Amino acid sequence: MYTVIVIDDSLSMRKILKDIINSIDEFEVIDEAVDAFDAREKIKKFEPDMVTIDINMPKMDGVTFLRNLMRLHPMPAVVVSGEGARGNDIFDDGAVGYIEKPANGESMISFQSRVKDNLLNLTFLLKQYTLKKPKAQFIQKKTKKVETNTKNHPDELLKSTPARLGGTKVIAIGSSTGGVESLLRVFKSLPNDLPPIVITQHIPYGFSRSFAQRLDTESALDVCEAKDGMKLEKGKAFLAPGNMHLSIEKRGNEYFTKLIDGIRISHHKPSVNIMFRSVNNTIGSSAMAVMMTGMGDDGMIGIKEMFDNGAYTIAQNEESCVVFGMPKKAIEAGAVKDIVHLDEIAQYIVDFSKNLKR
């Protein structure tokens, strides 16, 4: 059970968020705050697992409060605001999620679905945080089992049917905690003549589109948030949406993106395991898998399948990882051919594209 404090100066929005969050078995709103100063006292008192923060608040704006919170009392924070253009800044300032407030004409059912998807995608991160946070004064009232702790295997969504013959070259990159800045560093060094790239970064719904745009701006590659049925072409990269699994499918001799709106796999949606498995199912030994910084073990199953099928696989080294979780698990599984520093990953990708790495 994850406890939440809702911070918003609007009484009606606090009520809406409280009702929506309390309708999710895994979450409970334990208090509300009308501004940053009210929130500060209640966070000290209750030690919640997560807070939601509005940007436009009296006394202290939400951005300043978020920065102070991350500096003095770092904890999972989700920004709930109508300022969608601020998404990248909020993410850089330490937020783990962004939910845009209901747009004109949007139904409460639609907004509720967006809130639920965002929060459920954060349960694995929250689980890690709650293992380390101080004890709260608040005693939880709900006793329902947290179903999201179930670690669904990729088989529950996509069966393994490895391609026996290699197809066109495709590069698949998986990352999580620390991956946003790490991916930016890699993509700034990539040329525009590479084979198609597919990316699964554990990122909350609402951030993936702006992050794809940021990668596109700072890279020579054409980067976009993946949509269903986009043709994989040279010089293009496709980022999994924050609430859908990214896979690829073969049609004739061409390859296309395919989004899967299914259960969370390995605690995540999108899941690196699903992307790696789909690449192995369609591309086989002609693919490259890159496992970058991240918490947990998502991607370990998929990259091992790719390795066993003859694909070229690398993992980021411990020294350059923000969290040496996902790469470590891949290495321990015997699924990695080369262990690479973050600043060398781009060159390894280029070398693979030129048949210098296999």
Side-chain angles (χ1 to χ4, degrees):
M1 187 65 58
Y2 304 112
T3 56
V4 183
I5 290 180
V6 172
I7 310 167
D8 198 303
D9 62 309
S10 166
L11 175 63
S12 60
M13 182 51 64
R14 292 200 307 274
K15 184 179 187 309
I16 289 171
L17 285 172
K18 181 178 179 180
D19 289 346
I20 291 175
I21 294 171
N22 282 340
S23 72
I24 308 171
D25 288 344
E26 294 83 355
F27 293 84
E28 182 166 15
V29 175
I30 55 172
D31 211 333
E32 307 166 29
V34 298
D35 57 45
F37 297 95
D38 184 25
R40 181 181 61 186
E41 297 307 313
K42 289 176 177 177
I43 289 171
K44 288 179 181 178
K45 179 179 180 182
F46 295 121
E47 287 289 350
D49 301 324
M50 186 188 81
V51 294
T52 69
I53 303 174
D54 183 26
I55 289 181
N56 294 313
M57 295 191 296
K59 299 182 181 179
M60 181 187 293
D61 67 90
V63 174
T64 302
F65 174 67
L66 175 63
R67 290 171 180 166
N68 289 339
L69 183 68
M70 293 303 114
R71 179 171 56 89
L72 301 172
H73 192 104
M75 62 181 301
V78 174
V79 171
V80 183
S81 173
E83 299 189 22
R86 300 292 295 274
N88 277 326
D89 294 335
I90 296 304
F91 201 62
D92 291 341
D93 288 331
V96 297
Y98 174 80
I99 302 171
E100 190 168 357
K101 286 186 175 179
N104 290 335
E106 182 180 13
S107 69
M108 279 299 105
I109 293 176
S110 172
F111 180 57
Q112 180 177 10
S113 177
R114 289 198 290 111
V115 173
K116 184 174 181 179
D117 284 346
N118 270 271
L119 297 192
L120 290 180
N121 277 330
L122 293 173
T123 53
F124 182 66
L125 173 64
L126 289 169
K127 181 180 179 183
Q128 301 303 312
Y129 173 74
T130 55
L131 294 175
K132 302 175 182 178
K133 80 181 187 72
K135 297 294 183 181
Q137 295 179 26
F138 180 79
I139 299 175
Q140 296 178 14
K141 293 178 288 186
K142 291 186 179 180
T143 58
K144 288 188 177 181
K145 181 180 178 181
V146 180
E147 296 177 359
T148 54
N149 284 339
T150 300
K151 186 177 179 180
N152 295 317
H153 191 278
D155 286 348
E156 298 188 41
L157 192 62
L158 182 67
K159 298 301 181 184
S160 176
T161 55
R164 298 306 175 191
L165 298 175
T168 186
K169 278 187 169 65
V170 169
I171 299 154
I173 304 175
S175 55
S176 185
T177 312
V180 171
E181 291 304 321
S182 297
L183 283 166
L184 283 166
R185 283 173 63 176
V186 171
F187 271 69
K188 285 178 181 178
S189 301
L190 293 176
N192 63 1
D193 59 347
L194 294 172
I197 299 175
V198 289
I199 314 154
T200 288
Q201 157 71 32
H202 295 157
I203 193 168
Y205 176 75
F207 276 113
S208 49
R209 181 175 300 176
S210 59
F211 180 51
Q213 291 171 348
R214 188 174 175 192
L215 282 174
D216 181 65
T217 300
E218 302 195 26
S219 170
L221 292 163
D222 181 5
V223 186
C224 66
E225 181 187 54
K227 294 182 173 59
D228 221 18
M230 300 178 84
K231 184 179 177 181
L232 269 62
E233 296 178 306
K234 186 176 181 179
K236 293 188 177 182
F238 306 85
L239 177 72
N243 64 338
M244 300 281 275
H245 297 292
L246 174 60
S247 68
I248 63 175
E249 63 178 357
K250 185 177 182 181
R251 303 178 195 167
N253 293 319
E254 296 180 322
Y255 299 87
F256 298 84
T257 58
K258 181 180 180 181
L259 301 183
I260 304 174
D261 187 10
I263 58 174
R264 279 164 289 138
I265 300 298
S266 307
H267 296 297
H268 294 286
K269 182 182 177 183
S271 166
V272 180
N273 268 324
I274 292 298
M275 181 186 70
F276 280 169
R277 173 169 283 187
S278 78
V279 171
N280 191 47
N281 285 352
T282 53
I283 304 296
S285 61
S286 296
M288 176 182 186
V290 182
M291 186 75 90
M292 292 177 61
T293 178
M295 184 182 296
D297 64 359
D298 184 29
M300 178 184 69
I301 295 170
I303 197 170
K304 183 63 164 65
E305 292 171 349
M306 293 181 70
F307 177 89
D308 290 343
N309 201 24
Y312 179 55
T313 60
I314 69 172
Q316 188 176 343
N317 69 357
E318 182 174 7
E319 176 191 353
S320 63
C321 279
V322 175
V323 179
F324 189 54
M326 289 159 55
K328 180 181 180 182
K329 292 295 184 182
I331 294 166
E332 290 175 344
V336 173
K337 291 188 177 180
D338 289 310
I339 302 171
V340 182
H341 190 282
L342 172 63
D343 294 333
E344 298 176 335
I345 290 176
Q347 187 59 53
Y348 272 70
I349 290 173
V350 172
D351 287 349
F352 168 77
S353 73
K354 296 178 178 179
N355 295 317
L356 299 177
K357 295 287 186 183
R358 284 298 304 164

